[in-house]
Amino acid sequence: MHLTVKNLTNDPITAHTYPTPHKLNLLQRKKGVAQSADGFTLEPSVDFSTTLPKGFRREIILRRTYQPDAAEPATTPGLEKKELLEKEWHIHPEGFKIRFSMTFSASWQVVPVPAECPWRVFTSRISRGHHKLVILSRRNLASFLSELPNRLPLSSLSLPGTHDTMAFYGWPVSQCQTVPLSSQLNGGIRVLDVRLAVIPPPSSKEAPLTKDQQLIAYHGLWPQQTPFLAILNDVHTFLTSPIGCMETIIMSIKQEDFAVTPAPLFSQLVRETIVQGPGGWDDSQPSDSGVNRGMWFLENRIPTLGEVRGKVVMLSRFGGNGAGWEGGLEGLGIHPTTWPDSDQEGFEWELKGTRVRTHDWYNIPSFFKIPEKVERASDNLIPPADSPGPVLLMTFFSAASFPLALPPTVAKGFGWPKWGFGIEGVNSRLGKWLLDQLGGDTQQVVRIDLEKGKDAGSAEQKEPRIRGWTFLDYYSEPEGGEIVPLLVECNFRGRKEGEEGW
């Protein structure tokens, strides 16, 4: 079997086979790959290719190479650190062979490693008999934004999100998620798509709000039961927790009952609920931060990460003319000036010097359009190289139409596509695309000068730059939500000093 291994951690990794050593055949000589009698050492951000003998049954042992700091004293704690870093992690070849499965299959999968392992390991199939192993650092998904500098604008981040975040009921037409909101937040979801309706609905378009009316999560005509106040409570609890206080949440709020509830009435109830809810504010007290109040960032611009740690950034898909909000439309957060329905080509609008490029083609005619949907949506994750200013990319990977493209069908696919029976879903295709982008070659093969016995030089290729806010249905499938760590890792790739606020 032909195996390509890519080290996307920050540390060198050594590898050998177990229980009996086997000399891994290095197919290409590359800078950053050192071979010994029983294995190899792989430097960060490089890859190597090898062949495993037919009927290979040995485990591959991966070990992070200890590199002591010059200032670190040779003390017992240092030895403990060395032992921790040099602990071996076993990967059995059967773990990275993508096998026939009786479940909705994917063209990639997670290689099982112990929970305390410092890496996440993925495999994808390049061709029959050729697999790629991608090793990523195991980042804490509940606090990954704490690893990034304050100066980065939110437009330069890759933020995983959920489409119709609270749509847990109405399968197979209206349900889009299965994981509770608190688990979504702790699992790395940072963009929420909250859709609401006034319950009970107004008796007439002229009727004022009553005390018994409240906002409830809705998807289309299907009630999702969760009150808006409960959503605010989960978000506030996370952002005020020790692990979430350095994070930020984007909350898109959209009106679902526009046919029966006047827009000004809906906007009024949204504001009243936010003010009265957790993280709200006292209207009787003057604000010393402009339109921003409580845990909310309500300015109509793209902030930097440092400005909004511990806060919610509003993306308002409601509000009419902004009546009732401080500053009117300037106090409704990020407020789209256009949102055409299911535009296949995507659309753009300007926000205070930032170009917002959005893909929200959801009304695909059938599951046969899944490949085109993924291709167009994935293209929208790559910032245009010729843009004179910052670009915010918002990408919906969700799609639905009745009866041949229902949400679970589109997101998860069906059958056994690797065997020619069924369709691979959007989420699986996105995961494969991300692994292909992250696991692609970042260095060319080194040319060896035989006379001088050293490198004649090498040219580095740019790492992939994948950015933007993504909205996913059934984000926890496939592989238990492992699309999220792939999207999170994009924040640490393709960075260059002096660009994107880095």
Side-chain angles (χ1 to χ4, degrees), residues 261-468:
T261 302
L265 200 68
F266 178 87
S267 179
Q268 177 188 346
L269 190 52
V270 169
R271 188 184 184 283
E272 289 180 1
T273 306
I274 287 176
V275 170
Q276 297 166 9
W281 61 88
D282 184 353
D283 266 334
S284 65
Q285 300 296 322
S287 171
D288 58 358
S289 55
V291 298
N292 301 322
R293 299 291 188 96
M295 70 173 181
W296 291 84
F297 184 87
L298 300 172
E299 293 182 41
N300 185 227
R301 64 179 177 86
I302 304 297
T304 63
L305 181 56
E307 293 179 289
V308 291
R309 292 195 189 275
K311 292 185 175 292
V312 180
V313 178
M314 180 179 286
L315 169 58
S316 58
R317 297 180 62 185
F318 72 94
N321 60 4
W325 293 79
E326 287 79 7
L329 291 178
E330 291 298 308
L332 269 174
I334 300 170
H335 191 69
T337 57
T338 182
W339 203 289
D341 185 58
S342 193
D343 191 322
Q344 187 173 357
E345 302 297 329
F347 58 95
E348 295 183 356
W349 46 284
E350 291 291 327
L351 177 61
K352 306 291 176 62
T354 298
R355 178 156 55 112
V356 184
R357 196 174 79 182
T358 308
H359 174 88
D360 187 21
W361 177 40
Y362 68 87
N363 191 21
I364 65 175
S366 76
F367 52 75
F368 291 111
K369 284 290 186 178
I370 288 176
E372 183 181 354
K373 163 68 182 179
V374 175
E375 180 180 3
R376 290 178 179 271
S378 300
D379 286 346
N380 200 55
L381 296 181
I382 301 177
D386 58 350
S387 177
V391 180
L392 168 61
L393 307 173
M394 288 196 287
T395 308
F396 287 75
F397 282 88
S398 53
S401 67
F402 186 82
L404 297 178
L406 296 174
T409 302
V410 173
K412 297 187 282 187
F414 62 91
W416 306 279
K418 294 193 300 290
W419 295 81
F421 301 100
I423 293 290
E424 188 174 12
V426 166
N427 293 357
S428 175
R429 292 172 183 266
L430 172 60
K432 178 65 162 60
W433 183 83
L434 289 168
L435 281 172
D436 287 345
Q437 296 292 316
L438 293 170
D441 289 340
T442 57
Q443 290 185 327
Q444 295 177 348
V445 178
V446 175
R447 300 187 305 274
I448 302 299
D449 188 325
L450 296 179
E451 293 184 0
K452 297 182 179 179
K454 61 181 180 179
D455 297 347
S458 64
E460 290 190 357
Q461 300 176 357
K462 290 184 178 180
E463 283 187 326
R465 180 174 289 182
I466 300 170
R467 302 289 184 262

Side-chain angles (χ1 to χ4, degrees), residues 186-260:
N186 282 291
I189 295 298
R190 293 295 174 267
V191 187
L192 308 181
D193 179 22
V194 177
R195 307 194 178 201
L196 304 169
V198 179
I199 301 298
S203 57
S204 69
K205 291 191 175 181
E206 291 76 26
L209 288 172
T210 62
K211 291 184 178 180
D212 64 333
Q213 286 178 312
Q214 63 175 324
L215 291 166
I216 302 292
Y218 251 75
H219 182 197
L221 300 176
W222 201 281
Q224 298 300 322
Q225 304 185 20
T226 307
F228 187 33
L229 270 175
I231 298 172
L232 297 179
N233 184 68
D234 281 350
V235 170
H236 182 260
T237 298
F238 175 73
L239 290 177
T240 55
S241 67
I243 200 165
C245 62
M246 295 294 286
E247 303 300 288
T248 189
I249 303 297
I250 315 297
M251 185 184 293
S252 169
I253 301 177
K254 183 176 182 289
Q255 181 178 2
E256 288 289 274
D257 62 346
F258 52 85
V260 295

